[in-house]
Amino acid sequence: MLHVSHVARIAPGNCVDSLLHALRQRGYMCIGPTLRDAAVVYDEIRSERDLPIGWADEQEGGSYRLKKRNDEARFGYTAGPQSWKRYLFPPSTLLMKAKRTPDGFTAEAPGEKATPHAFLGVRSCDLNAIAVQDRTFLTGPYVDPTYKARREAAFIVVVHCGQAARTCFCVSMETGPMAKAGYDLALTEILEDGRHEFLVEVGSPRGAEVAGELPSQAATESDARAARRMVDRAVAQMGRAMDTTDLKELLYRALDHPRWGNVAARCLSCANCTLVCPTCFCSTVEEVTDLTGDHAERRRRWDSCFTAAHSYIHGGSVRPTTLSRYRQWMTHKLATWIDQFGTSGCVGCGRCITWCPVGIDITEEVRAIREDNRGKGH
Amino acid sequence: MEKDIEALLAEHPFFKDMSAPYRALIAGCGKNVRFDAGQLIAKTGDVANQFFAIRHGRASIELHAPEKGPLILQTLEAGDILGWSWLFPPYRWTFDARAIEQIRAISFDGECLRGKCDRDPAMGYDFMSGSRRCSWTACRRHACSSWICMEPPPIEPMLSAAFRVRKNRRETADTRTLELVPRDETEAPAWRPGQFMMLYVFGVGEIPISISGDPAQREAIVHTVRAAGAVSRAICEAKPGFAIGVRGPFGSAWPMGECEGDDVVLVAGGIGLAPLRPVLYAIMADRARYRRVSLLIGARTPDILLYPREFDRWRARDIDVRVTVDAAALGWEGSVGPVTTLVPRADFEHSRASAFIVGPEIMMKFAVQALSDRGVPRERLFVSMERNMKCAIGFCGHCQLGPAFICKDGPVFAYPRLEPWLVIRNI
C-alpha cells in the first residue's frame, strides 16, 4: 500500500534553487513572493534571487511598509496585498467566445489550457482560503471549469509562518500559523543562532518526489523542535484576535445594530477589502465586442458587494447605502458564509485591515457589536 | 489477510462481477474496518482518501444545508459503496457520513487504488465500469454519494446554446412574449414551473428571465420579457429567425406536488403573472388533481394587464380569476385597488390552501399578510424572488439575500425561510 511519507527532511537555507529546478523539470511555472512597488507580491520566480531575501513588512490598519531584517530569511514577511486567488480565480477570465454568423451567432467555450502553477510560499491562512474557495467553485451543483483546471494543476509548497503581522489573527480563526493538510510540501524556515535551514515535510506522493531532489538529510527530533519554536514565535506575535463564539448567531441578531451606522460613517465603500480578501468570490459577467462587432467575448471580472451596481435591479440598488453594503460584506464573511458553505469566510489573514484606507478593523467591529450586545444582556 | 478481503469482495454486489485477477489486485488496497453507531465516517471538507464497501449496518449521508443544519440525503446499507471523492481532485469529502448502527466495511485506500489504476489502465476501466454498470439513477442510489440529487450538470455551465425566435407577440406597450426553439432542431430542455433561463443577445449581454410557457410543450421555450434595460430591449425587438442564446433552466420550482388535492391561490402583481402562467398550464392539464384554484391579478393600469385574452380560457377550466388595477381607465368595469384587496374575497379554505405569490417585494409582503390574516399557514406561502444575477449558478455572488442564493436556492422559496431577512431594510 502506498503511503504518503510524513518523514521530515532538513535542507539548507539556500535550497530554493534546487526546489525551483525540480518543479520546473516537472513542467510547473513557479509563482512565489517577490518585491514590487514596495510590497511583497506573487509573480513568476526564476531563481532564489527573485525572493524578498532579508525583507520583512510592518502592517497596521491602513498601513503597509517594508523593512530590512537582520538576516537572510527567504520567507521573512507576512501576508502581502495579493493572495493565490489571483491564480486560481483570476481577476478576468474568458468564459465564452462568440462569432456573428449569417443566421445569428455561434458560441464556444474558450478551451484554455491552464499552465500548471507551483505556488511557493503559501501561508496557512491562504491554504485555508483556497479550501474555502474550493467549496464555492467545486462542490456543486455546478463546478467552475476554470477554477477546477487551475486548482487540479497546482502544486502547493506551504511555508509555515515564523513571524506574524500586527494585523494577523489566524490563531482565532483556527487557520494557522501552521498548515495541517492539503499541501504537497511544507517548509519551515529555521532561523536561530546563525542557523539557516528548512524543515521539509511531505504531504503528497508528488511532494515526496520533489523533496527527494533537494539536498537534504533526515530531520532529527531537535530539528522538529526548532521548527516548532519558529511557529510558536508567530503565535506569540499574533497582533489581533477575534472571539468567534456563536458569531453567526450574534450577527444574525445584530442586523439592526447601531454599530453599522458607525462603521458606515468611516467606510469609503472603496472595495479594497473585497479585492484583497483571499476568499471573496463575487464577480460580474461582461459582454465585450471588438470594433467590427463580429466577435464577442463573455468575460468574468472580479466584482465587489461595495459597488452600487452589485445589487442593482431595475428601479435601483437593493443596497443603496454604505451601511447596507458593509453589513452585507461582514455578515456574509462571518455568518451567512457558514450557512452557505459550512465554514467561515474569514481566515484571519488581516489583509482587509491593512489595505483599508481608513483602517477599519473587522476584529474591532465584531468586538464592538459583541460588547454592546453583552451590555444589553443578550 | 488479502485472501480474506478478496473473498469478502467476491460476495459484495459492487465487486462480484469484476474479473477475479483485478479483484485480487484491488483487494490489496482494502482492509476491514468497523464504525460504532453514531461515529463520523467522513467529514465535509476533510481529505478524502478512502472509500468503503459496506458489508453490514447502515450509514447516513448528510449535507449541511443553509439554516436547516444537517440534512440526511441518503442512507446506505450492506452492499452499497460509500464515497467517490477520493477519485476526483481536490480529493475532499463533499458530505458527512455517519454510522446509523454498527458498520462493518472494507475500507480502500484511494491513493493505492489510483496508483493501481494508473499502472494498469485496463483494471481501472473495469473498476470504473463497475460504477457505470448501473444507470445514472441506480448509480445515485448505490454509489455516487458525492453527486447526490443532481442531474449531471453541464461541463461548461457558462456557455449559451443558440436558439431561434419562432414567434414574438406583443403583450403590452413594453412587454413581449417570445417562443424560442433550439437552432439545431433538437428538443428544448425540460424544466419545471418557476424556473428561469439566462437569455443572451450577441454583443449585448445576458439576463435572467423566468419561463412563462407550458411545461408539457417541449418544442419551444416561452418567455415573457419587459423592455427595461439594454438586453431586455434587444430581446423584445428580436424578429422571428433572430438568434438568442439560452442557458438553463436554473433554480427551484413551485411545489406543485405538495398542493395536490388542496386549494391553490395564485397572487400575481404586474409581470409577476409570467412565472405563474406555467402553474396554470400544469393545473389545467391535470385539473382534477387540485381543488379550488384562485388567480388574483393586480396591475397598475388596465392596459398593462398580461394575457387578458387567456382569462376566459382559465375561467372555463374552473379557475377563479379576479383582476384589480391601481388606477382605472375609461371603460374599466373591474375592481380598483391593490391585489391584496382580492384576498378576502377569494374562494379557498385556509387550512387546505397553498399560495404562490409573485410581484414587487412590497406587494408580496402585503399579500403574505393578507393571506395570513385569512389563516393560511405561513409555511404554505411561497414567493418567487428577484435579485441581480450574473451567472445563475451560485458563483457571482450578486443574488444573495442573507444566506440564500436566489439563483440556486430559489427563486421560489417558502416564505418563512426569507422572512427574517425581508423585514430588514436594504438587506
Side-chain angles (χ1 to χ4, degrees):
Chain A
M1 198 184 293
L2 193 71
H3 270 303
V4 177
S5 164
H6 288 290
V7 181
R9 310 282 301 172
I10 195 90
N14 61 1
C15 69
V16 172
D17 275 333
S18 314
L19 177 59
L20 293 173
H21 180 75
L23 291 168
R24 267 200 305 269
Q25 286 286 304
R26 285 166 176 75
Y28 292 107
M29 178 197 269
C30 299
I31 309 293
T34 192
L35 289 180
R36 194 174 68 218
D37 303 333
V40 176
V41 296
Y42 298 134
D43 207 336
E44 187 176 358
I45 301 296
R46 291 191 176 77
S47 95
E48 190 173 52
R49 287 192 309 277
D50 293 335
L51 299 177
I53 299 175
W55 286 96
D57 49 69
E58 274 183 332
Q59 303 193 37
E60 248 310 337
S63 160
Y64 178 98
R65 294 288 180 275
L66 291 180
K67 64 163 192 187
K68 270 311 251 183
R69 295 172 61 106
N70 52 16
D71 58 24
E72 296 290 294
R74 269 56 172 168
F75 301 94
Y77 57 89
T78 56
Q82 297 174 343
S83 68
W84 305 97
K85 91 173 174 186
R86 165 170 297 274
Y87 293 95
L88 295 173
F89 165 52
S92 176
T93 312
L94 181 60
L95 300 173
M96 182 179 95
K97 282 191 291 197
K99 217 166 44 202
R100 191 188 295 281
T101 59
D103 61 344
F105 69 92
T106 57
E108 57 181 48
E112 163 203 21
K113 188 143 172 45
T115 312
H117 287 136
F119 298 152
L120 178 61
V122 178
R123 301 300 192 183
S124 184
C125 56
D126 283 348
L127 188 68
N128 278 275
I130 291 171
V132 169
Q133 286 212 325
D134 283 352
R135 294 185 187 218
T136 304
F137 291 120
L138 299 178
T139 61
Y142 295 92
V143 169
D144 181 60
T146 305
Y147 185 91
K148 181 167 182 276
R150 288 167 173 259
R151 178 73 173 95
E152 283 170 4
F155 186 102
I156 292 182
V157 183
V158 153
V159 176
H160 300 310
C161 289
Q163 59 284 310
R166 295 276 309 131
T167 44
C168 288
F169 57 103
C170 63
V171 169
S172 299
M173 305 314 289
E174 298 177 20
T175 54
M178 190 166 168
K180 292 193 185 86
Y183 52 76
D184 294 296
L185 286 176
L187 312 179
T188 314
E189 190 167 23
I190 301 172
L191 285 153
E192 52 181 16
D193 310 327
R195 181 183 182 193
H196 187 193
E197 285 177 312
F198 285 100
L199 184 83
V200 183
E201 293 164 277
V202 171
S204 73
R206 58 183 185 173
E209 278 181 34
V210 171
E213 292 181 25
L214 302 181
S216 67
Q217 58 200 54
T220 63
E221 267 300 304
S222 129
D223 295 329
R225 277 198 302 274
R228 186 70 222 179
R229 279 197 295 277
M230 296 296 120
V231 175
D232 287 345
R233 190 166 67 186
V235 172
Q237 287 174 2
M238 205 63 31
R240 296 279 202 282
M242 184 190 285
D243 179 359
T244 59
T245 320
D246 296 328
L247 186 50
K248 186 182 95 175
E249 292 73 17
L250 176 80
L251 292 176
Y252 279 3
R253 282 197 310 268
L255 295 170
D256 274 329
H257 199 281
R259 183 71 185 186
W260 302 118
N262 176 306
V263 67
R266 290 170 282 139
C267 175
L268 308 177
S269 210
C270 74
N272 263 14
C273 50
T274 53
L275 299 179
V276 296
C277 177
T279 67
C280 270
F281 59 84
C282 279
S283 62
T284 187
V285 175
E286 295 174 330
E287 179 82 357
V288 185
T289 50
D290 67 1
L291 283 176
T292 65
D294 288 338
H295 303 88
E297 288 181 353
R298 176 175 294 166
R299 297 201 75 94
R300 173 169 77 187
R301 187 172 54 74
W302 283 2
D303 200 0
S304 170
C305 54
F306 281 93
T307 68
H310 187 274
S311 62
Y312 182 85
I313 41 178
H314 57 87
S317 289
V318 173
R319 292 185 280 273
T321 60
T322 301
L323 184 158
S324 56
R325 293 180 205 157
Y326 187 87
R327 179 180 61 191
Q328 167 63 21
W329 178 71
M330 193 171 116
T331 54
H332 183 216
K333 194 66 49 187
L334 299 174
T336 53
W337 209 296
I338 297 172
D339 276 336
Q340 291 170 348
F341 300 110
T343 175
S344 170
C346 178
V347 294
C349 71
R351 289 185 177 93
C352 58
I353 305 171
T354 300
W355 298 96
C356 175
V358 295
I360 292 171
D361 177 348
I362 190 170
T363 67
E364 181 56 36
E365 298 310 314
V366 167
R367 195 172 301 116
I369 288 173
R370 193 180 284 286
E371 281 171 3
D372 189 47
N373 264 332
R374 202 178 297 146
K376 284 196 288 191
H378 280 275
Chain B
M1 182 69 192
E2 280 193 12
K3 187 104 204 246
D4 292 353
I5 299 281
E6 207 184 318
L8 292 173
L9 287 185
E11 294 164 14
H12 196 279
F14 186 81
F15 296 96
K16 69 177 194 300
D17 294 335
M18 197 172 197
S19 75
Y22 288 152
R23 202 161 54 217
L25 258 176
I26 279 182
C29 295
K31 63 174 187 211
N32 269 307
V33 290
R34 213 177 69 180
F35 296 96
D36 293 327
Q39 199 179 340
L40 208 56
I41 302 167
K43 188 169 183 302
T44 309
D46 279 1
V47 175
N49 203 22
Q50 289 161 315
F51 88 107
F52 304 91
I54 302 178
R55 295 175 46 234
H56 295 282
R58 289 187 307 136
S60 61
I61 302 297
E62 301 171 4
L63 195 72
H64 183 92
E67 293 169 285
K68 287 190 194 126
L71 184 72
I72 295 184
L73 291 174
Q74 188 179 22
T75 50
L76 300 174
E77 55 199 36
D80 283 339
I81 294 283
L82 193 166
W84 286 102
S85 303
W86 62 274
L87 194 54
F88 305 100
Y91 311 123
R92 282 177 190 279
W93 293 106
T94 53
F95 53 83
D96 289 354
R98 191 183 301 279
I100 299 173
E101 54 202 36
Q102 194 190 67
I103 284 183
R104 273 181 288 160
I106 302 164
S107 151
F108 293 91
D109 182 87
E111 216 161 81
C112 171
L113 277 180
R114 285 199 298 267
K116 291 200 173 174
C117 292
D118 285 349
R119 278 191 296 279
D120 189 345
M123 189 205 74
Y125 178 80
D126 197 52
F127 173 71
M128 281 316 293
S129 59
S131 62
R132 251 185 276 134
R133 269 193 286 272
C134 39
S135 71
W136 177 257
T137 319
C139 208
R140 245 175 10 194
R141 165 78 187 84
H142 285 293
C144 308
S145 296
S146 55
W147 305 323
I148 282 169
C149 300
M150 323 283 180
E151 291 308 315
I155 306 289
E156 292 287 347
M158 290 298 288
L159 189 62
S160 299
F163 278 52
R164 183 172 52 80
V165 177
R166 188 171 70 181
K167 253 189 207 158
N168 179 343
R169 203 182 51 234
R170 180 185 190 276
E171 297 288 353
T172 71
D174 62 358
T175 304
R176 324 255 331 169
T177 293
L178 286 85
E179 291 179 18
L180 307 177
V181 290
R183 209 166 52 180
D184 54 10
E185 311 289 324
T186 55
E187 211 174 39
W191 55 276
R192 292 175 298 154
Q195 290 194 294
F196 69 96
M197 298 273 196
M198 293 297 282
L199 299 188
Y200 165 71
V201 178
F202 176 86
V204 185
E206 202 184 31
I207 49 169
I209 300 286
S210 56
I211 308 171
S212 66
D214 180 350
Q217 206 257 70
R218 288 290 299 281
E219 66 190 81
I221 297 277
V222 177
H223 291 278
T224 301
V225 184
R226 185 158 66 93
V231 183
S232 54
R233 212 162 20 244
I235 294 171
C236 286
E237 287 166 5
K239 302 262 184 309
F242 188 82
I244 299 238
V246 171
R247 287 194 294 130
F250 299 111
S252 59
W254 299 108
M256 303 287 298
E258 290 173 33
C259 307
E260 289 182 14
D262 284 337
D263 293 348
V264 181
V265 185
L266 309 174
V267 187
I271 194 151
L273 184 53
L276 283 173
R277 193 168 66 159
V279 175
L280 292 160
Y281 281 116
I283 288 173
M284 288 192 295
D286 217 346
R287 182 65 187 85
R289 272 183 199 271
Y290 305 91
R291 241 162 63 112
R292 282 169 289 190
V293 178
S294 300
L295 170 61
L296 314 179
I297 301 171
R300 268 182 291 124
T301 50
D303 60 313
I304 60 165
L305 277 170
L306 279 186
Y307 318 131
R309 286 182 304 271
E310 291 172 55
F311 294 176
D312 285 338
R313 263 208 345 254
W314 297 336
R315 287 184 176 120
R317 299 303 305 276
D318 194 21
I319 293 170
D320 178 22
V321 181
R322 292 165 188 262
V323 185
T324 179
V325 297
D326 293 343
L330 205 62
W332 178 253
E333 291 171 358
S335 310
V336 175
V339 69
T340 46
T341 58
L342 299 176
V343 173
R345 293 180 241 162
D347 181 24
F348 60 86
E349 196 179 321
H350 64 84
S351 58
R352 298 189 59 170
S354 292
F356 303 168
I357 311 162
V358 199
E361 231 163 281
I362 184 77
M363 171 240 131
M364 293 199 284
K365 281 186 214 175
F366 281 107
V368 161
Q369 191 54 53
L371 288 156
S372 295
D373 289 349
R374 274 202 58 179
V376 183
R378 280 280 223 254
E379 63 276 10
R380 307 211 56 177
L381 303 176
F382 298 87
V383 295
S384 178
M385 295 299 300
E386 186 184 6
R387 281 291 181 274
N388 191 342
M389 258 178 223
K390 298 294 182 191
C391 74
I393 53 180
F395 295 156
C396 81
H398 285 69
C399 70
Q400 292 175 83
L401 172 57
F405 288 92
I406 303 298
C407 69
K408 60 174 187 177
D409 302 326
V412 174
F413 292 91
Y415 186 74
R417 184 166 170 201
L418 296 183
E419 188 168 21
W421 300 94
L422 288 174
V423 297
I424 308 284
R425 197 174 142 83
N426 299 338
I427 197 74

